Amino acid sequence: MARPGLDRPVRLPPHAPGLTIGLFGGSFDPPHAAHRAVSLLAMKRLGLDRVWWLVTPGNPLKDTAGLPPLDARMAAARRLARHPRIDVTGFEAAIGTRYSYDTIAWLVRRCPGVRFVWIIGADNLGSFHRWQRWRAIARLVPIAVVDRGGSRAPTAAPAAVALARWRLPEAQASRLPRTAPPAWVFLHGLKSPLSSTALRRRATQEAAA
């Protein structure tokens, strides 16, 4: 079976062997302050050189009807990011990947020597076991789980239970990018509870008022 997009010429954000890069995926519909806050928190606590916002064509676990065009979401994300070490990219559309595992596996093959870290919110840890090949994702790259404004780590979630033995103490978060996977850490400190879903709901309610 052909590997998605392996031979296609694709322009990636700045990278080089030895760099530590956080991967923060989502539809960014719309991008909001918490996306930026998560990125800055992860950059500081994990010692990341850069964070890439992977603006996806669409989330397989969500209804994408009415999803704005990729270019429009990327433009909005760039306006919000405003940071020299946050890169906004939509390369998943170019390489034809639909699932996070395929995207991460493609990057690991294409960028040898780069230390990637997968960044997700605590809400996504609760549903991580529903992601395609989630165990394989955990074997590919370390994972940083960031709280969403004071939430507790969902330690009873199936994925959290399955990966419990590989969880690093939060005080050792800076070790994560250089720890061989599986490895993950839960980061507290984010004060913004914003979510794209809530913002879309509010916009719909305001439009109907």
Side-chain angles (χ1 to χ4, degrees), residues 100-124:
S100 296
Y101 170 80
D102 293 324
T103 296
I104 297 169
W106 186 91
L107 282 172
V108 170
R109 290 192 302 266
R110 184 58 65 94
C111 307
V114 176
R115 298 186 180 97
F116 290 112
V117 175
W118 189 246
I119 302 171
I120 62 173
D123 52 334
N124 281 320

Side-chain angles (χ1 to χ4, degrees), residues 19-188:
L19 289 183
T20 57
I21 297 176
L23 303 175
F24 190 24
S27 61
F28 292 88
D29 177 33
H32 52 73
H35 289 135
R36 192 173 190 273
V38 164
S39 302
L40 297 180
L41 178 69
M43 199 180 295
K44 179 180 180 179
R45 299 286 301 279
L46 304 177
L48 302 176
D49 295 300
R50 312 190 72 85
V51 172
W52 292 2
W53 286 7
L54 310 184
V55 185
T56 65
N59 186 332
L61 295 179
K62 295 182 179 179
D63 181 4
T64 57
L67 187 67
L70 178 63
D71 288 346
R73 288 180 284 124
M74 288 181 59
R78 289 192 177 104
R79 288 193 297 270
L80 177 75
R82 303 187 318 278
H83 194 283
R85 292 193 286 139
I86 296 178
D87 303 292
V88 178
T89 176
F91 76 88
E92 284 179 296
I95 66 175
T97 55
R98 186 171 177 227
Y99 296 102
S100 296
Y101 170 80
D102 293 324
T103 296
I104 297 169
W106 186 91
L107 282 172
V108 170
R109 290 192 302 266
R110 184 58 65 94
C111 307
V114 176
R115 298 186 180 97
F116 290 112
V117 175
W118 189 246
I119 302 171
I120 62 173
D123 52 334
N124 281 320
L125 179 59
S127 61
F128 191 50
H129 63 287
R130 296 174 54 208
W131 293 26
Q132 186 174 69
R133 304 196 68 181
W134 65 273
R135 292 179 184 273
I137 292 175
R139 291 193 297 267
L140 272 179
V141 288
I143 299 171
V145 182
V146 182
D147 75 353
R148 299 300 300 269
S151 61
R152 294 182 178 180
T155 53
V161 172
L163 300 174
R165 61 182 292 194
W166 293 291
R167 181 180 175 182
L168 293 180
E170 188 170 0
Q172 298 178 20
S174 61
R175 291 178 43 205
L176 184 72
R178 293 170 177 80
T179 300
W184 67 287
V185 68
F186 191 93
L187 299 177
H188 295 85

Side-chain angles (χ1 to χ4, degrees), residues 2-10 94-95 106 109-110:
R3 292 178 291 186
L6 185 61
D7 300 319
R8 301 183 190 181
V10 177
I95 66 175
W106 186 91
R109 290 192 302 266
R110 184 58 65 94

Side-chain angles (χ1 to χ4, degrees), residues 180-202:
W184 67 287
V185 68
F186 191 93
L187 299 177
H188 295 85
L190 184 67
K191 302 303 181 183
S192 175
L194 284 174
S195 74
S196 293
T197 301
L199 290 177
R200 288 195 304 272
R201 186 182 302 117
R202 184 186 307 168

